[in-house]
Amino acid sequence: SQELEQSPQSLIVQEGKNLTINCTSSKTLYGLYWYKQKYGEGLIFLMMLQKGGEEKSHEKITAKLDEKKQQSSLHITASQPSHAGIYLCGAVHSGGSNYKLTFGKGTLLTVNP
Amino acid sequence: NAGVTQTPKFQVLKTGQSMTLQCAQDMNHEYMSWYRQDPGMGLRLIHYSVGAGITDQGEVPNGYNVSRSTTEDFPLRLLSAAPSQTSVYFCASRQGDQPQHFGDGTRLSIL
C-alpha cells in the first residue's frame, strides 16, 4: 500500500546488535499491526497497537505507536539469527473502512552469526 | 481449531485457464480478505468481505472475482489466468479489531 511506507527495505546486522524498523502512514491510523514472515512461509502476528503513544513488548521485540498515530517503530534488542525474516506492518486507517487492512512493502532482516 | 485453511498449496496453470482458490475459516470471523505477495511488493489487498453477501475491492482487484455465500468460505476466482498473476496468495480472517489470522498461502504459477 502506498499509504504505508516501511524503512529500511532491507537490513543486515551482526548478531547481538540492536535494530529499528519504521512504518509511516500518510493518514491517521485506527490500528497498526506488526507481522513477521519466514521466507516461503505464512505470517506470524507479533503485536497490535491502537492508542497514541502505546508501547508493547514481547521478549526482545518492542513496538511503539507515536502520539499522532501516524508512525510506528519496531525495535529488536540483541538480535539473534532467529529474528531473521520479513517484517511487515499492516494498518487500518481512520476515516475509511474499519475492516480494510493494508500492508507496507516489508523489511527484509538478515542477522549474521 | 484449524484456523484459516487454503487449498491448494501449489498450482500451475496455463495462460487463459480458470481456477478457484479456496479459503475457509472456522473461527466465525466476519472479515475475510485475499492478498497477493510478490517480491519487494509486500502484501497487496485484492478483495475483502465484511460478512456473508458483502464484498468489496482492494488495491489490485482486476482479474479476480470473489463471493461470500457463507461466513466460513471466501473463494477467489481467476477467470482467465495471466502470467502477471503468478504470485503467492494469502487468505486472512479477522473479527473486529483483533489480529488478522492468515492461511499458509497458495503458490500459483501461470505459464
Side-chain angles (χ1 to χ4, degrees), chain A residues 7 10 12 14-16 18-19 23 26-29 41 51 67 72-73 75-76 83 87 90 92 96-97 108 110:
Chain A
S7 63
S10 63
I12 302 173
Q14 204 67 28
E15 182 177 0
N18 302 337
L19 64 106
C23 179
S26 57
K27 301 178 182 180
T28 302
L29 300 170
E41 298 181 9
K51 299 177 183 177
E67 289 289 343
S72 178
S73 61
H75 184 78
I76 298 177
H83 288 127
Y87 288 82
V92 175
S97 166
L108 176 61
T110 303

Side-chain angles (χ1 to χ4, degrees), chain B residues 18-47:
Chain B
S18 62
M19 169 163 195
T20 299
L21 307 186
Q22 301 292 343
C23 176
Q25 53 95 5
D26 61 359
M27 298 170 282
N28 203 33
H29 286 172
E30 291 179 294
Y31 174 61
M32 295 186 75
S33 54
W34 277 101
Y35 297 86
R36 60 177 290 174
Q37 187 176 33
D38 304 291
M41 299 299 292
L43 287 172
R44 291 185 290 173
L45 183 64
I46 304 172
H47 285 285

Side-chain angles (χ1 to χ4, degrees), chain A residues 1-2 30 33 35 37 40-43 45 48 50 86 88 92 97-106, chain B residues 30-31 35 37 40-43 45 48 50 57-59 90 94 96-104 107:
Chain A
S1 166
Q2 293 181 347
Y30 178 79
Y33 303 79
Y35 286 83
Q37 184 183 29
E41 298 181 9
L43 284 86
F45 169 73
M48 176 178 73
Q50 285 190 296
I86 300 172
L88 291 148
V92 175
S97 166
N98 286 348
Y99 295 94
K100 187 176 174 183
L101 200 161
T102 56
F103 285 84
K105 292 185 178 181
Chain B
E30 291 179 294
Y31 174 61
Y35 297 86
Q37 187 176 33
M41 299 299 292
L43 287 172
L45 183 64
Y48 65 102
V50 299
Q57 296 181 348
E59 302 167 273
F90 286 98
R94 180 162 63 97
D97 294 339
Q98 296 306 305
Q100 190 151 270
H101 297 252
F102 284 86
D104 290 335
R107 291 186 175 275

Side-chain angles (χ1 to χ4, degrees), chain B residues 6-26:
Chain B
Q6 288 184 237
T7 56
K9 293 191 184 302
F10 302 94
Q11 184 70 48
V12 179
L13 293 177
K14 294 181 179 179
T15 298
Q17 286 185 315
S18 62
M19 169 163 195
T20 299
L21 307 186
Q22 301 292 343
C23 176
Q25 53 95 5
D26 61 359

Side-chain angles (χ1 to χ4, degrees), chain A residues 9-58:
Chain A
Q9 291 184 349
S10 63
L11 189 56
I12 302 173
V13 300
Q14 204 67 28
E15 182 177 0
K17 295 295 185 183
N18 302 337
L19 64 106
T20 300
I21 298 169
N22 293 303
C23 179
T24 302
S25 173
S26 57
K27 301 178 182 180
T28 302
L29 300 170
Y30 178 79
L32 190 287
Y33 303 79
W34 283 100
Y35 286 83
K36 178 188 174 184
Q37 184 183 29
K38 290 281 192 183
Y39 180 76
E41 298 181 9
L43 284 86
I44 300 167
F45 169 73
L46 296 175
M47 274 171 277
M48 176 178 73
L49 304 165
Q50 285 190 296
K51 299 177 183 177
E54 188 174 10
E55 178 175 324
K56 289 186 177 179
S57 294
H58 178 67

